[in-house]
Amino acid sequence: MTSSSAGTVHLAVYDTFADWETGHTTAHLTQNGYTVRTVGLSREPVTTMGGLRIQPDLALDELRPQDSALLILTGAAGWDTGDTLAPFARAARAFLDAGTPVAAICGATAGLAREGLLDDRAHTSAISFYLAATGYAGGERYVEVDAVTDPGADGAGRLVTAGPTEPVAFAREVFGLLGVYDEKKLDAWYRLFHDSDASAYEVLQGE
């Protein structure tokens, strides 16, 4: 599989971006033929929570759902300290309305809740009352799982959500959504990276 056949995944980046939440996701997407491009509010460099500086590949106003296979949103302090990151939640709405999937983890789920995107979709987060504090109307759709994918309806895009301690489960849902691995290999991948099950390595190698 080549990057041209797999497509482009867009990763939102901003100050205090939570580095660890998407490492598994982006690394294995890249290894399976996807191109990962970073998107900032502008093209100015941002600094992650781990102190790394990232130069975004493009600015948010250049991002179009039709050019993307997926938009990934991670946690950051900005989701809970104002509306600086609200434009990314609005971008997520545009993606979902266009039928292009979105994956959100940690604080990004609160941003989607404030945007009203979780009111009618199955979702999860750090804990239910974290999202309840946003005043959203989707509490009945909250699911007590590590990560979940809402299948979308009526042309809407699928949505992955996960809590901040579940980067491996988050990656698993993304890989399942994009069809990166078949069901057997997806299970093996999760067992290897989540449970340190060495026997799963042989399945991933096709043995």
Side-chain angles (χ1 to χ4, degrees):
M1 181 182 291
T2 65
S3 57
S4 60
S5 64
T8 299
V9 167
H10 289 92
L11 173 66
V13 294
Y14 21 73
D15 286 331
T16 72
F17 166 96
D19 312 59
W20 63 92
E21 292 177 347
T22 58
H24 290 89
T25 302
T26 56
H28 290 273
L29 287 176
T30 299
Q31 290 173 23
N32 283 276
Y34 284 85
T35 298
V36 176
R37 301 195 72 200
T38 53
V39 185
L41 286 170
S42 70
R43 291 191 178 220
E44 291 299 311
V46 299
T47 303
T48 72
M49 198 171 291
L52 304 179
R53 286 176 62 79
I54 296 177
Q55 178 80 52
D57 294 313
L58 68 160
L60 188 58
D61 61 7
E62 301 174 86
L63 179 65
R64 302 188 303 171
Q66 59 266 39
D67 297 331
S68 185
L70 174 71
L71 173 63
I72 302 174
L73 303 172
T74 72
W79 290 114
D80 299 314
T81 57
D83 59 3
T84 302
L85 300 183
F88 287 102
R90 292 194 289 270
R93 176 179 291 282
F95 266 61
L96 295 171
D97 287 349
T100 305
V102 172
I105 185 171
C106 188
T109 61
L112 299 191
R114 294 185 184 95
E115 183 65 20
L117 296 176
L118 304 185
D119 290 351
D120 300 310
R121 294 177 171 90
H123 61 276
T124 193
S125 185
I127 197 165
S128 59
F129 58 75
Y130 170 63
L131 293 186
T134 68
Y136 84 133
E140 292 185 356
R141 303 301 304 275
Y142 189 90
V143 186
E144 293 283 359
V145 293
D146 296 340
V148 65
T149 301
D150 182 88
D154 299 325
R158 293 169 289 172
L159 175 65
V160 171
T161 50
T165 61
E166 300 299 337
V168 178
F170 180 70
R172 177 197 62 201
E173 294 299 309
V174 169
F175 301 156
L177 182 152
L178 295 178
V180 173
Y181 300 118
D182 62 31
E183 185 174 347
K184 182 178 180 181
K185 285 192 173 183
L186 185 61
D187 174 70
W189 184 91
Y190 184 74
R191 287 189 289 111
L192 179 62
F193 287 95
H194 187 267
D195 303 326
S196 299
D197 182 354
S199 68
Y201 182 77
E202 294 183 357
V203 177
L204 286 172
Q205 297 302 306
E207 298 178 4

